[in-house]
Amino acid sequence: MTEQRGLTLAVSTVIFALRPHPDTGRLTLWLPLVRRIREPFRGRWALPGGPLDPADDLATSARRTLERTTGLAPHYLEQLYAFGAVDRSGAVTDEGRVVSVVYWAIIRPDEAERSVVGENVEWQVADEVGAWGGAAPLAFDHDTVLRYALARLRAKIGYSPIALAFLTEEFTLAALREVHEAVTQRTLDPANFRRQVLAAKTVAPTGRRLAGTAHRPPALYRRAVEIPSSDPARVTVTEPTHPADTDPPKGLS
Amino acid sequence: MTEQRGLTLAVSTVIFALRPHPDTGRLTLWLPLVRRIREPFRGRWALPGGPLDPADDLATSARRTLERTTGLAPHYLEQLYAFGAVDRSGAVTDEGRVVSVVYWAIIRPDEAERSVVGENVEWQVADEVGAWGGAAPLAFDHDTVLRYALARLRAKIGYSPIALAFLTEEFTLAALREVHEAVTQRTLDPANFRRQVLAAKTVAPTGRRLAGTAHRPPALYRRAVEIPSSDPARVTVTEPTHPADTDPPKGLS
DNA sequence: CGAGTTGAGGTCACGATGACTTTAACTTGC
DNA sequence: GCAAGTTAAAGTCATCGTGACCTCAACTCG
């Protein structure tokens, strides 16, 4: 193998949590950013992360970053993408070029409350950050990274029960719907949402109800499925093994 | 940044093409493998790849590997995953630990015909390779990697027009259907397939027909959409309320 | 020229979806 | 203590995509 001097492998993490928007009060996506204290991009906001310790797995490194910046362990952690353009918006430094493997994570708001906001760490509204949000661009290519992470989250919540990762053990269907609405930025019909969630069987009623609500008390639910891991080592491979000519036609597209 | 001695970043590529199965004659997925001539895993089959040249983008490196092993340029190239477990099945060598960014590609069979099969390179049937295929395990964690690439391809063909990447400029709907059948290993109803493909408007008739078929001559079609790139830098971010279709289909839960 | 084969277009029942309505169950204001 | 307000929960209805299946079209081959 060649000497790869001038190449550093870093791991960054996009950490999502839902909190009320400071102006509107509506639930929105937040994430912690770190102010850079060194060149390049000194003074600019960046995704938390750092160089990969050769003794750590990639996911372990992401978890460490999460612990370091928020004091928390994620309820969902997934690899987003490996960014490796030669010049990632000035990422070629004295130490050379940087390839970043980016993870994204979901943490629960009740835990985010308790989170320790370290020095140079600040939680900000995801859609108001960087050049896309009308603010100063993030360091490196982190504008692109964040945009991609948001797109992935917003797409994935539509076909995967990851919304549950934003919620505590017991929750109402209204709370689950509010997570979907906050993430997708669309209002949903409560009745239809209920019907679809119950049909998907991803939640089960606990039998208990939430009291003191100034209206009819809603039933409480809990997760009925594990939040799926996207770790390739755990991917279940459905194998129809051999193509049988007798197989009934199925769907497409 | 820390010194990352003992860490190498490699790029490997899973290259898919469709060819008839040697026994059954049915269309199946093939991929080129490289026999390792060095330790570790000397003599075992491995995915083509190599260490990342600090002057190359990640995708550029994947393209180079493709050119080196097949002499071809891909019609589709997408990043699969970054594999970085500390001990990737014996990947810790004298040179230290290896993190691999894996890409997967689609090349057309007519081009694969012309492909130069280099020394120690052999095209093999994807489902009969490695431990999952009942053969000797691939080098490193490449069994897992290949399994994951197959799962991604089989999932993605269901909601993305990547099947077109397996076909030449002009093709019949039957040929397109055979691509789907070969990849998903399911037979499809021709009439329903036609209806859905035409509704998706991913293909358009050329007005020409295929002659000499011993039956009614089928119409020829061409692509009506570009085969989408999954490059995050090119992801279109739909602004106020529309979910980006970065990935899979619709439906809730 | 008829048999065989596949293309092309159509029908039909079913299930999921979105828009909407109705009733239930609680709290708060008067 | 009762009406008003609010949200939960359940149901209705038209529409649309889907899978299963049918019929006719258009070619070659024996």
Side-chain angles (χ1 to χ4, degrees):
Chain A
M1 299 227 175
T2 60
E3 268 293 313
Q4 282 183 310
R5 210 172 307 147
L7 194 149
T8 303
L9 183 58
V11 177
S12 298
T13 310
V14 182
I15 303 164
F16 289 122
L18 286 174
R19 294 181 183 181
H21 191 283
D23 300 338
T24 67
R26 290 175 59 102
L27 216 55
T28 36
L29 285 165
W30 293 67
L31 83 168
L33 293 176
V34 178
R35 195 193 297 275
R36 283 192 60 83
I37 54 175
R38 273 175 283 187
E39 292 296 344
F41 298 102
R42 181 182 193 141
R44 299 274 270 283
W45 294 106
L47 296 170
L52 175 68
D53 183 334
D56 281 348
D57 286 351
L58 294 173
T60 302
S61 181
R63 262 179 248 273
R64 263 196 226 293
T65 297
L66 227 145
E67 210 285 331
R68 200 183 329 122
T69 48
T70 69
L72 298 173
H75 282 85
Y76 185 77
L77 181 68
E78 178 186 330
Q79 189 181 300
L80 179 66
Y81 202 78
F83 293 84
V86 171
D87 179 9
R88 297 172 50 226
S89 315
V92 178
T93 72
D94 294 343
E95 295 94 15
R97 172 187 172 198
V98 177
V99 171
S100 280
V101 177
V102 179
Y103 279 74
W104 64 284
I106 295 175
I107 65 179
R108 303 200 314 216
D110 60 315
E111 298 185 328
E113 295 281 325
R114 306 199 312 257
S115 86
V116 186
V117 177
E119 198 67 36
N120 295 313
V121 175
E122 192 177 296
W123 283 82
Q124 299 186 20
V125 175
D127 285 304
E128 299 173 359
V129 140
W132 282 94
L138 298 179
F140 307 102
D141 55 355
H142 288 186
D143 273 348
T144 301
V145 175
L146 173 56
R147 234 43 222 181
Y148 190 55
L150 276 167
R152 177 100 132 234
L153 167 60
R154 286 178 171 145
K156 193 149 192 171
I157 204 172
Y159 60 88
S160 170
I162 50 168
L164 300 170
F166 283 107
L167 296 170
T168 50
E169 279 306 304
E170 276 197 335
F171 51 87
T172 64
L173 290 185
L176 180 58
R177 176 170 48 82
E178 277 157 17
V179 170
H180 276 88
E181 290 179 339
V183 170
T184 62
Q185 298 174 311
R186 277 199 288 203
T187 57
L188 298 170
D189 182 276
N192 292 338
F193 181 82
R194 152 186 306 276
R195 193 211 303 150
Q196 287 174 258
V197 167
L198 294 181
K201 300 203 168 156
T202 52
V203 300
T206 62
R208 316 206 309 164
R209 293 175 169 276
L210 184 63
T213 50
H215 54 77
R216 175 172 176 170
L220 288 169
Y221 292 80
R222 55 171 174 76
R223 289 200 298 272
V225 292
E226 280 309 300
I227 299 170
S229 162
S230 67
D231 186 338
R234 285 178 211 156
V235 166
T236 46
V237 182
T238 46
E239 253 292 50
T241 51
H242 281 302
D245 297 82
T246 53
D247 268 1
K250 288 260 183 163
L252 139 104
S253 211
Chain B
M1 298 227 175
T2 60
E3 267 293 313
Q4 282 183 312
R5 210 170 309 146
L7 194 149
T8 304
L9 182 58
V11 177
S12 298
T13 309
V14 182
I15 303 164
F16 289 122
L18 287 172
R19 294 180 181 180
H21 191 283
D23 300 337
T24 67
R26 292 175 62 106
L27 217 56
T28 35
L29 286 166
W30 292 67
L31 82 167
L33 294 176
V34 178
R35 195 193 299 275
R36 283 190 62 81
I37 55 174
R38 272 176 282 187
E39 294 294 344
F41 298 103
R42 182 182 193 144
R44 300 274 272 283
W45 295 105
L47 295 171
L52 175 68
D53 183 333
D56 283 347
D57 285 351
L58 294 173
T60 303
S61 180
R63 262 180 247 274
R64 264 196 225 294
T65 297
L66 226 147
E67 209 286 329
R68 199 181 332 121
T69 48
T70 69
L72 299 174
H75 282 85
Y76 184 77
L77 182 67
E78 177 186 329
Q79 190 179 301
L80 179 66
Y81 202 78
F83 294 84
V86 172
D87 178 8
R88 297 174 49 229
S89 315
V92 178
T93 72
D94 294 343
E95 295 94 18
R97 173 189 172 195
V98 177
V99 171
S100 280
V101 177
V102 178
Y103 279 73
W104 66 283
I106 295 175
I107 65 179
R108 303 198 313 213
D110 60 314
E111 299 185 328
E113 296 280 325
R114 306 198 311 258
S115 84
V116 186
V117 177
E119 198 68 34
N120 296 314
V121 175
E122 194 177 295
W123 284 83
Q124 299 186 20
V125 175
D127 285 304
E128 300 174 358
V129 141
W132 282 93
L138 299 179
F140 306 103
D141 55 356
H142 289 185
D143 273 348
T144 301
V145 175
L146 173 57
R147 241 36 227 186
Y148 190 54
L150 275 167
R152 177 99 134 236
L153 166 60
R154 286 178 170 144
K156 192 150 194 170
I157 204 172
Y159 60 88
S160 171
I162 49 169
L164 300 170
F166 283 107
L167 297 171
T168 51
E169 279 307 304
E170 277 196 336
F171 51 87
T172 64
L173 290 185
L176 180 58
R177 177 168 47 83
E178 278 157 16
V179 169
H180 276 87
E181 291 180 339
V183 170
T184 62
Q185 298 175 310
R186 301 240 175 101
T187 56
L188 298 170
D189 182 276
N192 293 336
F193 181 82
R194 151 185 306 277
R195 192 211 305 150
Q196 288 174 259
V197 167
L198 294 181
K201 300 201 169 157
T202 51
V203 301
T206 62
R208 317 205 312 161
R209 292 174 171 279
L210 183 64
T213 50
H215 54 77
R216 174 172 177 170
L220 288 169
Y221 292 80
R222 57 172 172 74
R223 288 200 297 272
V225 292
E226 280 310 300
I227 299 170
S229 163
S230 67
D231 187 340
R234 283 177 212 158
V235 166
T236 46
V237 182
T238 45
E239 249 328 297
T241 45
H242 246 60
D245 60 333
T246 312
D247 264 302
K250 298 196 110 195
L252 186 74
S253 113

